[in-house]
Amino acid sequence: MSGNIQLLTDTLAAAKAEGRAALIAYLPAGFPTVDGGIEAIKAVFDGGADVVEVGLPHSDPVLDGPVIQTADDIALRGGVRIADVMRTVRETHEATGKPVLVMTYWNPVDRYGVARFTAELAEAGGAGCILPDLPVQESALWREHAAKHDLATVFVVAPSSRDARLAEITAAGSGFVYAASLMGVTGTRESVGAQAQDLVERTRATGTDLPVCVGLGVSDSTQAAEVAGFADGVIVGSAFVKRMLEAPDHPTALTAIHKLATELSQGVRKQR
């Protein structure tokens, strides 16, 4: 069965045609439970997210700050498995018809088996995978299987990435490029900063046709509007997870993240 890279491509192109950036949300699978996580993703889609990244909880998430680490710990203590991640992708995609990716570190995929992981992700209707710690020069096996199943391979670039490295990454990737707005881990910040705009410009200067989407630090509609002024997509994760962690109960959490998705969706639609 084929994956949904074309749906991802079409969704990002449609946002661009509307003169706006796409809103890409991140939430971990299994948080606060598998069923609760599925409800949460549906809520952010209903609030206006164009794309959702489903996090595969990991015990040592090197890119993720304390907020997402807390959520991952809750999911892992709840017994979440890769099968639950695939179920989350399947049910949220079937319910919304929108593109759903998995964001994961490489070790769980390697242990599970690349052929098995890509086949199951495609069968679940997934659009692709974001692999923040997989070096491009070691990604041939993954990319071979991802391409076979019509799955996007999204690599992460950082402000420290040299121009030659950016060119190597954009040539190997598909779907979009994930531009980390600053050096560090995920988390909400007061300012996204000029580093992000410079990174987007340098990434585009490689000649890539891939959309460049910015993550790490965006937490409100004002910041979303700022980033939407120069990026093709705005990625928000910790702000959603933080709202859920702070809510006294699950229904309140769903209301809170739906509201945030609506606000962010309005932010990416503000005039550039």
Side-chain angles (χ1 to χ4, degrees):
M1 184 169 176
S2 295
N4 274 311
I5 186 173
Q6 192 60 51
L7 176 61
L8 174 64
T9 300
D10 291 347
T11 299
L12 295 173
K16 184 175 182 178
E18 292 175 17
R20 66 175 179 87
L23 174 59
I24 302 174
Y26 166 94
L27 283 168
F31 170 68
T33 62
V34 176
D35 288 341
I38 290 169
E39 291 174 339
I41 292 169
K42 290 178 182 177
V44 297
F45 267 136
D46 188 57
D50 299 289
V51 179
V52 165
E53 305 169 5
V54 176
L56 194 160
H58 194 274
S59 58
D60 185 26
V62 293
L63 184 70
D64 298 309
V67 170
I68 290 175
Q69 286 186 31
T70 298
D72 277 5
D73 185 56
I74 291 168
L76 290 168
R77 283 191 283 112
V80 70
R81 297 288 182 267
I82 288 179
D84 299 312
V85 177
M86 298 301 179
R87 179 188 154 209
T88 300
V89 171
R90 176 182 293 104
E91 293 193 13
T92 53
H93 170 64
E94 287 180 350
T96 64
K98 294 184 178 181
V100 182
L101 300 105
V102 168
M103 185 165 186
T104 179
Y105 297 97
W106 179 244
N107 182 257
V109 177
D110 190 40
R111 290 183 62 185
Y112 197 72
V114 174
R116 181 184 177 193
F117 190 95
T118 51
E120 290 185 7
L121 181 56
E123 191 276 330
C129 222
I130 301 165
L131 299 155
D133 66 340
L134 177 63
V136 172
Q137 63 268 27
E138 297 175 20
S139 67
L141 178 64
W142 165 269
R143 287 188 286 124
E144 175 190 342
H145 284 278
K148 174 182 173 183
H149 291 290
D150 291 326
L151 295 168
T153 297
V154 179
F155 290 113
V156 178
V157 297
S160 61
S161 301
R162 297 179 182 273
D163 291 348
R165 179 71 171 166
L166 291 177
E168 186 181 8
I169 291 171
T170 57
S174 57
F176 63 91
V177 180
Y178 187 126
S181 65
L182 72 171
M183 301 303 294
V185 297
T186 59
T188 61
R189 290 174 171 81
E190 294 298 319
S191 174
V192 179
Q195 276 190 323
Q197 185 167 359
D198 176 68
L199 178 57
V200 170
E201 290 172 355
R202 290 198 298 121
T203 303
R204 287 182 177 146
T206 64
T208 184
D209 292 328
L210 294 175
V212 184
C213 304
V214 171
L216 272 68
V218 178
S219 61
D220 58 36
S221 61
T222 300
Q223 290 177 331
E226 175 192 353
V227 174
F230 58 82
D232 299 301
V234 179
I235 304 170
V236 182
S238 295
F240 284 113
V241 176
K242 189 168 183 283
R243 296 279 180 105
M244 291 185 69
L245 287 170
E246 290 174 347
D249 53 54
H250 190 56
T252 305
L254 295 179
T255 300
I257 61 174
H258 183 280
K259 181 174 183 287
L260 178 58
T262 301
E263 293 168 355
L264 293 166
S265 178
Q266 292 167 351
V268 301
R269 284 169 167 79
K270 289 182 179 176
Q271 292 293 322
R272 300 191 181 194

